[in-house]
Amino acid sequence: MSEYYVCTGCALLCDDIEVETENSKVKTVHAACRKGVARMKGCSDHLECTIDGEKTDVDSAIAKAAEILRNADKPLIFGHGNSSSQAQKMSIGLAKKIGAYLDDTSSFCQGPVIEAILQDKLKTCTLDDIRHKADVIMFWGADPSNSHPRHLSRYSYFPRGKERQRGWEEDRTAICVDVRKSETAVICGDNRFYQIPVGGDAEFMDALVSALSSKVPKTSFGFDAKRILELANVLKKAKFGVICVGLGLIYSLEDLNPLFRLMDKLNEVSDFNLMPMVGQYNMRGFNQNLYEETGYINRVKFNSETGVAEHGPEFSVVEALRNKTVDAALIIGSDPLSSLPLSVSRYLAEIPLITIDPCRNLTSSKAKVTIPCALGGVESGGTAVRMDGVEVELKKILETENLPDAEILRKIMEAI
Amino acid sequence: MGFGQFLAAPEIKLKVVTYRDVFQNTAQETSRFGEEYENSSAVIKLDQKDIAKLAIKDGETVIVKNSFGKVVVAARKSDYEESHAGIAYMVNSPWSNSLVPDETGGTGVPKFKDFEVTVQGAKGEKATGISEIF
């Protein structure tokens, strides 16, 4: 029997991947999407171990990183989306020890929805439930054809699940609500694509709640009421519905109340679950690990003496960098200089910066200390949490000289 | 050299919505400093009407700027998208992030998918390279 590995290209954590290796490299990857294949084959720009741009050994880099964090008054530890759960727990311990600001990517993406799920404010299900039961699937502000390429083929639309033996042709209806006709919208078809204006999501949700309550739906942008009523009918008849929530929706809402209202109404008249379309492979793991430790999913600052965490937007990576409140940063499994507005992330280049990553990126190019780590799911094992909250074990495929991310953090903590 | 060289290129205001692209994302996995990543990132998708207003051809470079930054990227006519005059699409990348405002209203969440820029033909200027962004 073949051995299957887990792809860490996104938070689907596909666990049916076969690989062929040659000369200590992944030569061929079977079953993964193109992004997953690229992830598992590894980057061409490997990160080197450096201090001030000069090559060094890992022990010296770890000692320097420890010195930077020890001397900082308000250090920031950020990243964690591409880190194992073991590394994330080490990060939490390190932040506690040095009284650091601690945050992750969810702070400016799926955070509010994950928080609501962990607090049981939103009904959710697993990807396997979707595969076996879902008959009405809404992609709202989400384009999995690009962000999670196997979402539709493995779970949400094309497969023949236990209770959906006729697959997409007869047993499933896919619906897309978006400001742009995405490739996922094309798959859903023109009849099942609802194009709304930028920022129109909350209003469209409330119009849908009206339609589900047998009232005439109205929007200020004049969306065809008949189409909204028709959509409400499809949703009402769902046996097992799911809304896959993407960043398009989250960025559009000032708060989650319109989403709560819609989910409440849908569960009055039908049965609906919510799936957060988490991007990085272990972002949800970080949220769950920090939640277990502190009751917060992100945006905390620890008191080094009491170990108590304070929480609030002022401790978010964006506000901490914007307001220049931190004086050193450790970035692990992330590239904020690529993913944050430059007007915010520019400050990272002004403070002592440490990067831990398998690959060179924009952030590492501005770092005082760079420490290469093993690539999760390929060069090191550990565990991670899928977008639906299911824990998945990562398997090591190749040997490497680079230490796993958790081991680097453990050594930094020891050296402080 | 034609007379057109001395005329100011028309400038239009557009709203930008960022999106994800699996091909660009794949290139990013391989190398953030590679040509493929640059070519698939330094792009703005425009409606045919806006391309006409700018008096440019599909694939020519444009200057995209606001008070937060400025980049030169290739302008491409959108394909399967519905008409969207006044709105431009940029793939999520350091190029789009050069233009995302730092204003958050204290929420910690920038407006990644809803910000304004002005766009103008770049008269053959090369697209901004990754090393020039920072």
Side-chain angles (χ1 to χ4, degrees):
Chain A
M1 198 177 140
S2 300
E3 176 144 30
Y4 293 109
Y5 295 96
V6 174
C7 172
T8 54
C10 76
L12 284 178
L13 289 169
C14 294
D15 58 0
D16 59 346
I17 312 298
E18 291 175 88
V19 298
E20 290 170 35
T21 58
E22 193 178 274
N23 299 329
S24 303
K25 282 188 174 169
V26 172
K27 187 187 159 210
T28 313
V29 182
H30 298 285
C33 67
R34 60 184 306 124
K35 187 165 105 173
V37 171
R39 168 65 60 103
M40 296 195 81
K41 283 190 171 179
C43 59
S44 57
D45 292 317
H46 297 285
L47 188 64
E48 288 183 329
C49 198
T50 64
I51 299 174
D52 292 323
E54 300 290 326
K55 275 194 205 175
T56 187
D57 59 274
V58 70
D59 290 337
S60 305
I62 284 170
K64 187 69 186 172
E67 183 193 314
I68 289 171
L69 294 174
R70 195 170 43 234
N71 293 338
D73 283 333
K74 291 179 173 178
L76 163 72
I77 305 179
F78 171 76
H80 309 103
N82 287 310
S83 307
S84 65
S85 289
Q86 291 65 33
Q88 293 170 348
K89 286 175 186 168
M90 281 289 166
S91 239
I92 296 168
L94 177 60
K96 226 178 194 180
K97 185 172 181 177
I98 60 175
Y101 285 61
L102 180 69
D103 203 5
D104 83 311
T105 336
S106 72
S107 180
F108 51 92
C109 64
Q110 293 274 352
V113 170
I114 302 283
E115 186 177 41
I117 288 173
L118 294 181
Q119 291 172 345
D120 287 328
K121 290 179 183 168
L122 285 168
K123 190 164 167 267
T124 190
C125 62
T126 66
L127 289 167
D128 307 281
D129 290 333
I130 296 176
R131 179 189 174 96
H132 293 302
K133 300 180 198 168
D135 58 343
V136 176
I137 306 102
M138 278 185 105
F139 299 102
W140 199 313
D143 179 19
S145 297
N146 281 289
S147 58
H148 303 82
R150 296 185 74 207
H151 195 280
L152 280 89
S153 63
R154 201 159 181 238
Y155 296 108
S156 54
Y157 190 45
F158 295 111
R160 285 154 184 12
K162 281 179 192 159
E163 294 173 30
R164 295 286 165 260
Q165 282 297 305
R166 290 182 179 83
W168 66 279
E169 300 97 321
E170 292 178 42
D171 270 356
R172 297 192 206 260
T173 304
I175 295 156
C176 183
V177 183
D178 211 323
V179 298
R180 165 181 159 264
K181 189 172 185 177
S182 65
E183 275 158 339
T184 303
V186 174
I187 292 172
C188 294
D190 285 347
N191 288 340
R192 297 281 177 244
F193 172 46
Y194 297 81
Q195 186 163 8
I196 56 172
V198 176
D201 299 71
E203 243 190 277
F204 193 76
M205 284 185 159
D206 284 338
L208 202 46
V209 170
S210 295
L212 289 162
S213 315
S214 304
K215 292 179 193 157
V216 179
K218 284 180 192 158
T219 58
S220 64
F221 41 89
F223 203 98
D224 183 355
K226 272 188 199 165
R227 287 201 71 209
I228 301 178
L229 285 164
E230 183 200 41
L231 173 60
N233 267 336
V234 174
L235 303 183
K236 265 184 199 172
K237 286 178 191 160
K239 291 192 184 76
F240 190 105
V242 60
I243 304 181
C244 300
V245 172
L247 288 179
L249 173 56
I250 291 169
Y251 288 154
S252 168
L253 298 179
E254 278 178 23
D255 56 55
L256 291 184
N257 288 328
L259 183 59
F260 291 146
R261 287 196 289 272
L262 177 62
M263 285 297 286
D264 286 348
K265 189 72 210 174
L266 282 170
N267 280 304
E268 253 177 50
V269 298
S270 178
D271 182 6
F272 262 80
N273 295 281
L274 189 135
M275 181 58 56
M277 299 294 274
V278 176
Q280 295 177 331
Y281 85 81
N282 202 20
M283 191 197 89
R284 180 153 177 176
F286 178 79
N287 296 147
Q288 293 192 184
N289 287 324
L290 189 62
Y291 189 73
E292 276 169 27
E293 182 74 28
T294 65
Y296 306 114
I297 62 153
N298 56 21
R299 301 176 167 193
V300 295
K301 181 187 183 297
F302 284 99
N303 181 315
S304 60
E305 282 166 22
T306 62
V308 173
E310 291 177 84
H311 167 77
E314 66 273 32
F315 305 122
S316 69
V317 62
V318 168
E319 301 304 334
L321 296 179
R322 240 180 111 229
N323 300 323
K324 306 188 174 185
T325 44
V326 289
D327 58 358
L330 166 66
I331 309 295
I332 180 161
S334 188
D335 183 14
L337 273 170
S338 287
S339 57
L340 282 177
L342 193 58
S343 48
V344 171
S345 62
R346 188 173 273 132
Y347 177 62
L348 279 172
E350 295 175 25
I351 55 176
L353 179 63
I354 305 152
T355 307
I356 301 171
D357 206 278
C359 304
R360 275 177 64 219
N361 56 39
L362 285 191
T363 308
S364 74
S365 69
K366 299 291 169 192
K368 194 172 180 61
V369 179
T370 62
I371 308 174
C373 66
L375 175 61
V378 176
E379 297 170 334
S380 62
T383 55
V385 179
R386 221 162 61 168
M387 61 164 66
D388 58 354
V390 171
E391 191 175 72
V392 177
E393 196 170 340
L394 310 178
K395 289 184 217 164
K396 181 175 172 171
I397 306 169
L398 300 173
E399 290 298 328
T400 176
E401 286 178 0
N402 293 341
L403 296 171
D405 46 9
E407 186 61 12
I408 294 170
L409 289 171
R410 191 186 64 75
K411 285 182 172 239
I412 291 176
M413 191 138 74
E414 266 179 14
I416 289 178
Chain B
M1 188 183 285
F3 181 66
Q5 289 284 331
F6 302 101
L7 293 174
E11 191 176 82
I12 58 171
K13 271 193 179 177
L14 295 173
K15 182 176 270 197
V16 174
V17 176
T18 56
Y19 68 99
R20 314 270 155 173
D21 173 70
V22 68
F23 294 93
Q24 181 251 12
N25 226 242
T26 303
Q28 176 183 296
E29 288 295 332
T30 305
S31 171
R32 285 180 196 256
F33 300 94
E35 201 178 324
E36 204 182 331
Y37 181 56
E38 199 164 296
N39 290 342
S40 55
S41 298
V43 174
I44 189 164
K45 281 179 145 188
L46 299 175
D47 186 84
Q48 178 60 49
K49 282 184 189 156
D50 291 327
I51 288 198
K53 275 188 200 164
L54 289 167
I56 57 161
K57 287 188 189 119
D58 184 21
E60 285 183 1
T61 53
V62 288
I63 299 165
V64 188
K65 62 181 180 184
N66 58 19
S67 57
F68 300 94
K70 174 187 161 186
V71 285
V72 178
V73 297
R76 300 218 188 284
K77 187 170 87 66
S78 43
D79 30 29
Y80 50 82
E81 286 104 341
E82 302 285 332
S83 68
H84 57 96
I87 295 176
Y89 302 133
M90 283 183 89
V91 68
N92 178 50
S93 74
W95 283 262
S96 64
N97 276 323
S98 298
L99 303 160
V100 177
D102 70 353
E103 295 146 3
T104 61
T107 61
V109 187
K111 293 252 178 198
F112 288 100
K113 284 179 175 278
D114 182 2
F115 57 93
E116 288 189 348
V117 295
T118 59
V119 181
Q120 186 177 35
K123 295 188 174 179
E125 199 180 324
K126 271 180 69 178
T128 309
I130 186 96
S131 54
E132 299 159 303
I133 282 193
F134 195 82

